[in-house]
């Protein structure tokens, strides 16, 4: 479905805008949605799908203009974002045809507490989907970076949309590197990889990748809604990139070091320090000595 023309920040690309991009053959959003629905099969009914050629940020679109609650998971995919956002105020760089960038708006029950561990849950779903596509060596770096053999393949940005009298929601924004431009250097991301490398050049169509991720998200969010993060904690721990390793957690203006013990029932990182076990709620994790 095409973006409504009344949406101020969504703009469809024209040929000139796209001239320099390594874009795939078809950029027609309607054809993309049709291919995605077909790949999803009967599960397509669970989603409201929208695909645009460009927007500032799919997360900003869904948090700024949350669609009406119709019991479906609303998904916005952008061929290109010109203001993609990452965790902790960073930007997220992507290129048409080189990256898959989308956000899914998921509503949780009114009156429920802030959903604990939700961002780790999105990481588990993404890891499972990529494993089913054949990617080996996937690990999760707290809170939710997806790594392959230590290099970042995908990032997740989870933002809450306050209810203001309506059902509260979370926007799960996901960026997956499909085929990065050769020799690309991304600020704040010293080690990156892409699906092309992870799958030895056999990258499925991006609609098939997205269908696999949406299927996993839907399944795992159903489990999460019923049983909370504790039901998915083991799945996260099994993929913990830094399990039992010496790490450094860098915050805004301080750092703490210790041994990574995994995560607790709320998704907080547990760190054994000289002072005892500490719960870490935010920060960037790196292997001690390598940061
Ligand atoms: C990170 O690793 O810092 C998180 C990156 C999240 C990027 C995705 S791309 C789709 C969605 N829209 C955004 O602006 N950000 C997320």
């Amino acid at each position: 479905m095409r973006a409504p023309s009344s949406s101020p920040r969504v703009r469809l690309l024209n040929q000139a805008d796209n001239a320099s991009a390594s874009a795939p053959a078809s950029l027609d959003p309607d054809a993309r949605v049709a291919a995605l629905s077909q790949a999803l099969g009967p599960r397509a009914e669970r989603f409201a799908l929208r695909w645009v050629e460009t927007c500032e940020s799919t997360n900003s679109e869904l948090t700024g203009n949350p669609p009406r609650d119709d019991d479906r998971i609303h998904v916005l995919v952008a061929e290109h974002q010109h203001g993609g956002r990452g965790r902790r105020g960073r930007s997220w760089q992507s290129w048409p045809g080189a990256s898959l960038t989308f956000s899914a708006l998921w509503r949780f029950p009114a009156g429920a507490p802030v959903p604990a561990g939700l961002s780790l849950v999105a990481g588990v779903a993404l890891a499972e989907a990529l494993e089913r596509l054949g990617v080996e060596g996937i690990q999760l770096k707290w809170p939710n970076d997806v790594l392959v053999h230590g290099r970042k393949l995908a990032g997740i940005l989870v933002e809450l949309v306050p209810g203001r009298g309506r059902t509260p929601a979370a926007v799960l924004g996901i960026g997956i590197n499909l085929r990065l431009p050769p020799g690309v250097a991304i600020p704040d991301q010293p080690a990156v990889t892409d699906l092309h490398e992870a799958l030895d050049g056999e990258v499925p169509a991006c609609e098939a990748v997205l269908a696999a991720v949406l299927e996993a998200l839907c399944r795992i969010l159903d489990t999460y809604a019923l049983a909370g993060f504790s039901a998915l904690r083991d799945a996260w721990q099994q993929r913990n990139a830094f399990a039992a390793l010496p790490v450094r957690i860098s915050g805004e203006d301080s750092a703490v070091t210790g041994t990574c013990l995994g995560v607790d029932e709320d998704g907080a990182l547990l760190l054994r320090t000289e002072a005892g076990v500490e719960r870490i709620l935010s920060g960037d994790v790196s292997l001690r000595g390598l940061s």
Side-chain angles (χ1 to χ4, degrees):
M1 192 186 301
R2 232 166 249 283
S5 53
S6 59
S7 180
R9 283 177 289 164
V10 177
R11 184 173 64 92
L12 295 181
L13 267 187
N14 62 33
Q15 290 293 339
D17 287 329
N18 196 36
S20 61
S22 58
S26 164
L27 277 180
D28 174 21
D30 294 336
R32 294 289 216 189
V33 169
L36 176 57
S37 300
Q38 193 175 15
L40 281 166
R43 289 186 203 93
E45 287 178 7
R46 294 277 314 263
F47 300 96
L49 305 169
R50 189 155 70 101
W51 202 304
V52 296
E53 292 186 2
T54 189
C55 72
E56 182 189 333
S57 147
T58 54
N59 262 46
S60 302
E61 286 295 327
L62 288 183
T63 52
N65 277 317
R68 199 173 51 81
D69 183 7
D70 58 6
D71 285 331
R72 293 184 294 172
I73 298 175
H74 286 251
V75 177
L76 176 64
V77 194
E79 210 73 56
H80 179 58
Q81 298 183 122
H82 51 84
R85 296 186 290 109
R87 284 180 59 239
R88 311 189 75 206
R90 298 184 183 120
S91 63
W92 176 262
Q93 291 192 26
S94 57
W95 299 262
S99 321
L100 173 58
T101 51
F102 69 97
S103 302
L105 184 128
W106 180 69
R107 291 196 157 88
F108 48 98
V114 171
L118 181 57
S119 99
L120 281 74
V121 164
V124 170
L126 190 46
E128 284 194 7
L130 293 168
E131 285 162 2
R132 283 183 183 199
L133 291 172
V135 179
E136 292 175 0
I138 290 202
Q139 292 184 309
L140 294 170
K141 175 179 151 182
W142 187 86
N144 52 17
D145 281 356
V146 177
L147 311 181
V148 176
H149 302 304
R151 291 190 288 152
K152 185 160 170 173
L153 174 65
I156 300 169
L157 176 67
V158 175
E159 296 178 298
L160 297 178
V161 183
R164 290 196 201 99
R166 291 181 299 179
T167 320
V171 172
L172 315 178
I174 296 180
I176 304 173
N177 300 327
L178 297 177
R179 189 183 186 127
L180 292 172
V184 71
I186 304 178
D188 300 317
Q189 307 284 340
V192 288
T193 189
D194 57 18
L195 262 193
H196 186 259
E197 185 177 17
L199 291 173
D200 291 329
E202 302 284 322
V203 185
C206 79
E207 293 90 341
V209 176
L210 183 51
V213 176
L214 293 180
E215 183 280 321
L217 257 185
C218 198
R219 181 168 42 78
I220 281 183
L221 285 171
D222 284 347
T223 302
Y224 178 75
L226 281 175
F229 178 63
S230 56
L232 296 156
R233 183 175 164 218
D234 283 351
W236 195 93
Q237 309 263 53
Q238 282 158 17
R239 299 176 177 85
N240 180 3
F242 296 136
L245 290 174
V247 293
R248 173 187 175 88
I249 321 291
S250 311
E252 290 300 327
D253 34 40
S254 64
V256 52
T257 57
T259 303
C260 177
L261 300 179
V263 292
D264 70 10
E265 299 282 304
D266 291 330
L269 188 73
L270 298 175
L271 195 66
R272 183 179 303 286
T273 70
E274 286 179 359
V277 176
E278 288 192 31
R279 288 181 82 235
I280 308 291
L281 300 176
S282 68
D284 284 325
V285 188
S286 56
L287 211 49
R288 213 151 78 211
L290 290 185
S291 56

